[in-house]
Amino acid sequence: GAVLPLGTLAVGPPRQPVGPYRILEAQVGDDFWKYYDFYAGKDSAGSGGYIEYVSEDVARRDGIVEVVTEVVPEERMIEVYEDGDGRWEEEDWMAEDLAFLDWQKRKDAEEKEDAEEEDGDKKATTTKQKASDEKKTRFLYNSTIATDDRPAPKLEPFNPDNYRANEPTRSDPTETFVRISSSPTPQGPRNSVRLEGRRRFNRGLFIIDLRHMPAGCGTWPAFWLTDEANWPVNGEIDIVEGVNYQDTAKTALHTTRECRMDDVAEGSKTGSWDTAVGIPNRKTGIPDMTFRFAQNCFVYDPHQWINQGCVATDLKSEGRSLGMPLNAQGGGVYALEWDPVNGHIRTWVFTPHGRVPGNLREALRTATDADLDARVAPDTNLWGLPYGHFPIGEDTNCPSGHFRNMRLVINLAFCGSVSGNRYFMDCPEKFKKFKTCNEYVKSDPEELKEAYWKIRGVYVYEREWERQWT
């Protein structure tokens, strides 16, 4: 072998967080609360929600936070296929995603052709019918898993309590949930909850298993990462955020200058971008009707709405991945991968629970297993393409330093600068009787009974450190 001269320092590959994911926090059941502090006080001036966040003691007294255990009924069971190393399913997801991207490309081409057609009334009708028919085909395809040469599926609860790998499921399986809601007050603003994580993060895989999220007129729930004291310098990532009747998942990044998402590789995601049209000129006030995608994460970009940020939108399960449609399907699983070493932030949503990839399902099931060897490491390469892909770091248009020292926040606001400002558009029937969002919420309408979180668990993973060249 080679002989190094005396005094030569032999340097190997650097230690980096590039290994398999390992569970850092499994926030489930009664242990859920130990990962958070309850913020008590009014909403921030920028959000202006019509709420009063209350302490843990008040929240428990009013019954707006609780832990409940339920027997899993048969209709909430899912079909589970045996798939040893997950390769069959990986091939299924890739085939499905490629088929979806092809479907989307043809759909976009048809819509463009239709828009260019001068006498397009008849053609528009035909194109819409074709798009509608193809959407049905896509939905059926998305709901079907190829089963050639595979054993028949077993009917199982998605994430039962006391799960043990390779052991039969109990005859009366249970699942334990954290429930977070709000309560009316004589003064008007609702008592609500804002949980602020106790740990700070600079990377990680963040997963929330929801069975129900707050939805309906006036609601503004969110599950997000932020460093409020240094906002927007240290960034913000909105993982789940609903406004009024919105029904499609989005992921938004908010930063200071010089973070743009105009360099995303084609075919790296199944989603699209939010749009920014009609932005008033800051000098003249005249709306700019130029069509733009919201791809600048800078919160004060003059060509986007204030604090819009760069916003990825789900297309594959459009219209059913958030809010009331999500709840009607029994919820879903959201995942955000913040991986600066590998140069990206990526997001997925899976709904209903029978659509969750097997690797992800088994990772959640075994996250609290006392046998560490039985815990399954989540592998995002087995989940298909994300709907949101944000390149960060070297050789991108967004330095990774825009995101750091953030903590998780789970909150439920009402009205305010987003839900309240959209009230007259999103809730026209309510607007006829109540001229402001605050008036509507103060009336304590029946619909607000749907404004609650029902969380099976929040799971945080980080990659193990290994010596490896990038």
Side-chain angles (χ1 to χ4, degrees):
V3 178
L4 295 175
L6 286 175
T8 300
L9 180 64
V11 179
R15 291 186 73 250
Q16 301 184 86
V18 293
Y21 279 112
R22 291 291 179 262
I23 190 73
L24 188 66
E25 294 182 357
Q27 304 173 10
V28 296
D30 290 318
D31 285 343
F32 186 89
W33 314 109
K34 74 181 185 181
Y35 295 99
Y36 296 93
D37 292 317
F38 282 70
Y39 164 76
K42 297 189 180 303
D43 202 3
S44 67
S47 297
Y50 193 59
I51 38 92
E52 182 79 20
Y53 289 122
V54 298
S55 67
E56 181 173 4
D57 288 342
V58 173
R60 290 186 182 277
R61 183 199 68 194
D62 289 357
I64 59 176
V65 296
E66 58 181 339
V67 175
V68 296
T69 298
E70 301 174 0
V71 174
V72 183
E74 186 170 325
E75 59 268 22
R76 279 223 319 262
M77 301 280 192
I78 62 169
E79 291 185 342
V80 176
Y81 290 86
E82 294 293 334
D83 186 10
D85 59 3
R87 298 300 162 185
W88 268 342
E89 189 175 49
E90 180 185 12
E91 293 171 5
D92 285 340
W93 281 111
M94 188 52 64
E96 179 175 308
D97 288 339
L98 291 175
F100 174 79
L101 292 174
D102 180 65
W103 177 90
Q104 188 66 39
K105 187 178 294 185
R106 285 185 283 117
K107 177 171 172 283
D108 290 344
E110 287 174 354
E111 290 178 352
K112 182 179 180 181
E113 182 183 346
D114 181 58
E116 294 172 349
E117 189 75 19
E118 291 183 0
D119 57 342
D121 289 347
K122 182 177 179 182
K123 175 141 180 148
T125 302
T126 304
T127 302
K128 285 178 182 177
Q129 184 60 49
K130 284 171 64 180
S132 176
D133 291 343
E134 197 153 8
K135 190 170 184 179
K136 291 176 185 175
T137 303
R138 178 187 60 157
F139 176 77
L140 290 171
Y141 182 81
N142 283 356
S143 301
T144 304
I145 296 178
T147 57
D148 298 343
D149 303 320
R150 306 183 200 188
K154 297 181 292 183
L155 209 58
E156 297 181 0
F158 177 74
N159 189 3
D161 295 326
N162 304 311
Y163 176 82
R164 293 292 179 269
N166 303 316
E167 291 184 10
T169 305
R170 291 171 39 185
S171 58
D172 57 343
T174 61
E175 289 180 320
T176 298
F177 303 101
V178 169
R179 199 176 188 279
I180 302 169
S181 58
S182 67
S183 60
T185 67
Q187 296 77 23
R190 294 180 76 85
N191 282 345
S192 191
V193 175
R194 177 185 168 107
L195 302 177
E196 299 179 339
R198 293 177 175 173
R199 191 192 298 261
R200 297 283 176 168
F201 300 100
N202 289 290
R203 58 189 172 87
L205 178 63
F206 304 85
I207 302 167
I208 186 167
D209 178 3
L210 289 178
R211 304 310 163 89
H212 189 282
M213 67 174 290
C217 186
T219 59
W220 184 13
F223 170 65
W224 49 306
L225 285 159
T226 187
D227 179 6
E228 308 96 310
N230 297 286
W231 185 94
V233 174
N234 284 351
E236 173 186 332
I237 305 174
D238 301 323
I239 306 171
V240 182
E241 183 176 25
V243 177
N244 297 326
Y245 296 114
Q246 289 181 357
D247 57 15
T248 300
K250 298 180 179 181
T251 303
L253 274 54
H254 306 270
T255 69
T256 51
R257 294 179 185 273
E258 303 304 326
C259 178
R260 302 183 310 281
M261 294 298 148
D262 48 10
D263 57 346
V264 181
E266 185 177 356
S268 66
K269 59 185 178 63
T270 60
S272 185
W273 299 99
D274 205 357
T275 57
V277 180
I279 314 299
N281 183 285
R282 292 186 180 178
K283 291 183 179 179
T284 67
I286 299 172
D288 179 359
M289 301 310 295
T290 305
F291 180 90
R292 294 184 178 90
F293 284 120
Q295 293 175 294
N296 193 340
C297 308
F298 177 40
V299 294
Y300 301 122
D301 174 22
H303 300 298
Q304 296 182 183
W305 299 105
I306 293 291
N307 196 27
Q308 184 174 11
C310 48
V311 187
T313 61
D314 172 39
L315 285 182
K316 196 171 170 186
S317 50
E318 184 178 9
R320 57 187 188 274
S321 54
L322 193 76
M324 289 183 172
L326 178 90
N327 296 338
Q329 297 181 124
V333 175
Y334 297 80
L336 177 129
E337 182 178 46
W338 172 17
D339 193 346
V341 173
N342 285 307
H344 57 240
I345 293 172
R346 304 192 295 178
T347 51
W348 292 259
V349 58
F350 302 101
T351 179
H353 281 82
R355 294 273 303 151
V356 175
N359 166 262
L360 175 53
R361 181 190 66 240
E362 293 307 307
L364 302 188
R365 284 178 164 187
T366 60
T368 59
D369 199 312
D371 181 359
L372 301 186
D373 292 333
R375 295 181 180 178
V376 174
D379 183 351
T380 55
N381 293 320
L382 301 177
W383 301 356
L385 294 175
Y387 81 81
H389 179 205
F390 305 86
I392 60 171
E394 293 183 15
D395 301 320
T396 76
N397 293 329
C398 182
S400 59
H402 279 293
F403 307 96
R404 57 191 175 188
N405 197 46
M406 294 194 286
R407 64 179 174 184
L408 283 170
V409 176
I410 302 173
N411 70 291
L412 170 55
F414 294 91
C415 302
S417 60
V418 178
S419 178
N421 287 347
R422 295 185 57 90
Y423 169 72
F424 74 98
M425 294 185 296
D426 294 347
C427 313
E429 291 302 312
K430 311 289 192 300
F431 181 65
K432 291 176 182 178
K433 183 176 180 180
F434 303 98
K435 292 307 177 185
T436 69
C437 183
N438 289 6
E439 289 177 33
Y440 170 71
V441 168
K442 186 175 181 178
S443 72
D444 191 26
E446 184 73 14
E447 187 175 282
L448 291 193
K449 290 183 178 178
E450 285 298 301
Y452 67 90
W453 293 100
K454 187 178 181 183
I455 303 169
R456 178 65 182 93
V458 171
Y459 306 83
V460 181
Y461 294 82
E462 285 191 349
R463 290 191 183 278
E464 292 189 331
W465 289 76
E466 292 184 349
R467 289 196 176 276
Q468 188 178 123
W469 297 112
T470 54

